[in-house]
Amino acid sequence: MNPVVQLLQGHRSIRKFTQQNIDREQIEAIVRSAQMASTSSNVQAYSIIGVTDQAMKDELAALSGMAYVASCPLFLVWCADLHRLRLACEKQQTEMVHGLLENFIVATVDAALASQNAAIAAESMGLGIVYIGSLRNKPLEVSRLLKLPELVYPVFGMCVGYPDQEPSVRPRLPMAAVYHENTYNDERYGEALDVYDETMKQYYLERTGGKKSTTWTQEMAAKYEKAVRAHMRSFIEEMGFRLD
């Protein structure tokens, strides 16, 4: 495998960081790499909020429920952003049609694509990252803290810093469970999920010294048997997005 593929396949989420700072040149390289991600029709419908202020990181840690947000040297908040596009339309004396589900999807996907470029750039420098989806637990409070305008919402956060731990690589689903040729085929899921359940059970037993014994399907069933962040629809609409 070439070094890029090795880097991609060696990804680990890092939740413990050293106190070493990230310099301005590194931040610029990460952001510029993010900007080169694919974007729908060049709309670039995302913004990145880089948080280094300790008091703000402390508050974001409290809002997300993730203590390591406070300990990372750089916390990036990835935002879907139609606000800048509305300003572009106004500059051309055109009214933006923003109340479409398609526009919401484009902005969210753009933010996700850019963030993954940033993650790979950071890891190529010896940095570690972890995504923080729990910013959406209290999205309105996060938006107020970051002073996000209408038509901007926080999709997720990302801790960035030098790793102070060496976690093992978490196994992923077998390729047979995610890659389909020509048409979708779920007939092989039974065997593939059985194999993955056993893989994850052994992974958790080894990772926790025998304290955790569960499977992937058990975890997914527990997660999706109840509503998660049901408040997001009303929040998104409050921020000016429409899901028509």
Side-chain angles (χ1 to χ4, degrees):
M1 293 187 294
N2 67 52
V4 176
V5 174
Q6 288 181 321
L7 179 67
L8 289 165
Q9 295 189 9
H11 166 73
R12 303 162 301 165
S13 292
I14 300 298
R15 296 175 174 84
K16 187 177 180 182
F17 304 92
T18 71
Q19 295 302 304
Q20 183 176 352
N21 287 326
I22 302 172
D23 62 40
R24 175 57 56 179
E25 184 177 343
Q26 290 173 300
I27 294 174
E28 289 183 0
I30 290 169
V31 172
R32 291 187 185 279
S33 296
Q35 287 187 271
M36 293 310 297
S38 296
T39 171
S40 179
S41 302
N42 201 35
V43 297
Q44 302 170 76
Y46 63 89
S47 286
I48 312 162
I49 312 294
V51 182
T52 56
D53 179 81
Q54 190 59 54
M56 291 187 68
K57 287 191 294 181
D58 290 343
E59 190 161 353
L60 289 167
L63 290 171
S64 67
M66 299 296 176
Y68 35 87
V69 171
S71 64
C72 67
L74 175 65
F75 186 64
L76 300 176
V77 181
W78 298 87
C79 301
D81 186 348
L82 297 180
H83 175 73
R84 186 170 54 243
L85 294 168
R86 181 163 66 181
L87 295 178
C89 290
E90 290 175 354
K91 183 177 181 180
Q92 298 300 320
Q93 299 181 339
T94 299
E95 184 175 352
M96 178 183 180
V97 180
H98 62 269
L100 295 173
L101 178 59
E102 171 64 10
N103 292 344
F104 171 79
I105 292 173
V106 164
T108 303
V109 171
D110 265 14
L113 292 174
S115 74
Q116 191 61 15
N117 260 30
I120 300 308
E123 290 180 343
S124 75
M125 301 176 197
L127 299 166
I129 70 100
V130 63
Y131 282 93
I132 306 296
S134 58
L135 278 190
R136 300 191 302 276
N137 288 349
K138 297 185 177 179
L140 185 58
E141 292 86 343
V142 170
S143 298
R144 288 171 177 167
L145 177 65
L146 301 177
K147 299 182 180 179
L148 302 184
E150 188 179 51
L151 294 179
V152 180
Y153 89 93
V155 184
F156 43 69
M158 178 191 288
C159 296
V160 186
Y162 285 93
D164 193 23
Q165 60 178 174
E166 287 289 337
S168 57
V169 175
R170 188 190 299 260
R172 296 303 200 233
L173 283 160
M175 183 173 167
V178 298
Y179 179 69
H180 306 259
E181 291 189 352
N182 299 314
T183 60
Y184 194 98
N185 177 13
D186 67 357
E187 292 180 358
R188 51 192 170 176
Y189 280 167
E191 180 180 355
L193 294 184
D194 286 345
V195 170
Y196 190 54
D197 273 348
E198 184 58 31
T199 298
M200 289 305 298
K201 183 177 181 180
Q202 293 304 314
Y203 168 79
Y204 284 129
L205 286 170
E206 293 174 9
R207 180 177 175 177
T208 64
K211 295 179 181 179
K212 182 177 181 178
S213 177
T214 188
T215 68
W216 184 76
T217 55
Q218 286 175 327
E219 288 198 321
M220 295 305 104
K223 179 178 177 64
Y224 287 100
E225 69 179 356
K226 55 184 180 297
V228 178
R229 300 183 185 125
H231 57 266
M232 281 301 296
R233 185 182 185 94
S234 61
F235 163 71
I236 289 297
E237 292 182 344
E238 185 173 344
M239 295 301 290
F241 293 88
R242 294 291 178 268
L243 306 181
D244 301 329

